[in-house]
């Protein structure tokens, strides 16, 4: 394992497994060749987020965020943005700040998650469906998690959705207390969970009851977990 194990970004098995599960939902909706909208958690340097956002060439990535940046592209050209994401994926230790601003649609930008006040231009206001002229970084992330999109791609660590009946203390992920939303407020039609623990167990139930589509937490990332098990077993064998 570790530096002597498989190159997870090169193999991309976790994202590939999660994407196959997501495509199953797509088939049920009849979306195989449809251009779909998405919000993501992570960035292109990550093996799960990066690989996952390259497997679907028809995706319009409206927004994404990680622990540092918030990326917004209100009306993306899915072909141009896919090529730019591929460039960032191949770039060593890329961040959303490396995204070519010329590719962004009008009103798009990259913002600091830690910002106390982010001005909202008309395009971002229209995307969010709000009239507020500014939001903090945390407030902006909450609005993005509530966006009505085709799917939400979990490609980064963190629990961002809980049940209305749960407190943030019960979730046990203090780093994301200020951005977490309740499942009933998540309007994404599908949640694709490349990373695990993106939503609590009770949150899953609440999300399903509101007609959301997702699998149990053991399904979407099972391919990546299986490969990690191989790594551990090989390490034990070689000791």
């Amino acid at each position: 394992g570790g530096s002597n194990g498989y190159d997870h970004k090169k193999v991309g098995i976790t994202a590939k497994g999660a994407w196959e599960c997501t495509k199953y939902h797509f088939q049920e909706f009849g979306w195989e060749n449809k251009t779909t909208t998405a919000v993501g958690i992570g960035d292109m340097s990550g093996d799960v987020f990066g690989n996952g956002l390259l497997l679907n060439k028809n995706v319009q990535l409206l927004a994404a965020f990680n622990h540092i940046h918030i990326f917004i592209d209100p009306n993306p050209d899915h072909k141009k943005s896919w090529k730019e994401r591929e460039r960032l994926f191949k770039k060593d230790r890329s961040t959303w700040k490396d995204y070519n601003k010329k590719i962004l649609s009008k009103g798009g930008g990259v913002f600091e998650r830690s910002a106390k006040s982010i001005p909202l231009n008309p395009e971002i206001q229209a995307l969010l469906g709000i009239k507020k002229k500014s939001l903090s970084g945390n407030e902006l992330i909450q609005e993005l998690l509530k966006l009505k999109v085709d799917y939400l791609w979990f490609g980064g660590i963190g629990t961002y959705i809980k049940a209305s009946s749960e407190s943030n203390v019960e979730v046990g992920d203090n780093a994301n207390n200020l951005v977490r939303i309740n499942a009933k407020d998540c309007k994404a039609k599908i949640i694709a969970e490349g990373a695990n623990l993106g939503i609590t167990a009770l949150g899953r139930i609440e999300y399903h009851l509101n007609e959301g589509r997702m699998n149990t937490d053991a399904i979407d990332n099972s391919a990546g977990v299986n490969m990690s098990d191989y790594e551990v077993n090989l390490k034990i064998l070689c000791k």
Side-chain angles (χ1 to χ4, degrees):
S3 60
N4 296 315
Y6 296 114
D7 186 332
H8 284 249
K9 184 172 180 178
K10 184 177 181 180
V11 177
I13 189 62
T14 305
K16 290 174 183 175
W19 180 237
E20 287 302 313
C21 294
T22 305
K23 286 198 297 183
Y24 180 77
H25 295 305
F26 275 36
Q27 289 168 4
E28 290 187 324
F29 281 121
W31 291 355
E32 290 91 339
N33 299 310
K34 175 192 171 185
T35 300
T36 50
T37 56
V39 169
I41 294 95
D43 60 72
M44 292 309 298
S45 66
D47 67 283
V48 179
F49 184 95
N51 278 294
L53 266 296
L54 292 181
L55 290 170
N56 182 6
K57 290 189 176 183
N58 292 322
V59 65
Q60 287 183 301
L61 182 64
L62 303 181
F65 64 88
N66 60 7
H67 61 292
I68 301 174
H69 298 125
I70 302 171
F71 166 86
I72 298 181
D73 194 1
N75 187 29
D77 181 314
H78 69 276
K79 292 182 179 179
K80 290 181 179 179
S81 59
W82 185 89
K83 290 181 180 179
E84 179 61 8
R85 290 197 302 273
E86 183 184 38
R87 183 185 72 83
L88 292 185
F89 182 76
K90 294 178 179 179
K91 179 180 172 64
D92 187 38
R93 297 183 179 181
S94 67
T95 73
W96 285 119
K97 280 289 187 181
D98 296 312
Y99 199 94
N100 184 353
K101 306 303 186 293
K102 295 179 180 178
I103 304 296
L104 290 170
S105 58
K106 185 179 180 181
V110 178
F111 312 96
E112 299 293 328
R113 175 169 172 167
S114 60
K116 293 182 179 180
S117 180
I118 298 173
L120 304 182
N121 56 49
E123 290 75 24
I124 294 180
Q125 288 176 320
L127 175 69
L128 301 178
I130 62 175
K131 295 182 179 180
K132 291 184 178 181
K133 294 184 178 180
S134 67
L135 290 173
S136 69
N138 289 330
E139 290 171 334
L140 181 54
I141 287 175
Q142 284 187 318
E143 293 297 328
L144 295 177
L145 288 170
K146 296 175 184 177
L147 271 185
K148 188 175 183 179
V149 292
D150 292 322
Y151 72 102
L152 182 59
W153 176 257
F154 278 104
I157 298 172
T159 304
Y160 294 95
I161 303 176
K162 67 177 182 64
S164 304
S165 61
E166 294 178 293
S167 68
N168 283 320
V169 174
E170 291 175 290
V171 174
D173 175 26
N174 294 334
N176 292 300
N177 282 352
L178 297 178
V179 300
R180 190 172 300 114
I181 66 168
N182 292 326
K184 66 181 180 62
D185 297 320
C186 180
K187 302 179 187 69
K189 293 181 180 178
I190 297 168
I191 290 181
E193 199 171 13
N196 58 354
L197 303 177
I199 179 170
T200 66
L202 290 176
R204 293 171 195 277
I205 296 172
E206 183 171 296
Y207 178 70
H208 273 296
L209 291 175
N210 281 276
E211 300 184 350
R213 293 288 192 93
M214 74 176 305
N215 299 314
T216 63
D217 59 351
I219 301 298
D220 285 13
N221 50 60
S222 59
V225 172
N226 187 60
M227 189 177 84
S228 294
D229 287 343
Y230 283 128
E231 286 185 288
V232 172
N233 289 330
L234 287 170
K235 188 175 181 179
I236 293 172
L237 178 65
C238 292
K239 271 196 170 183

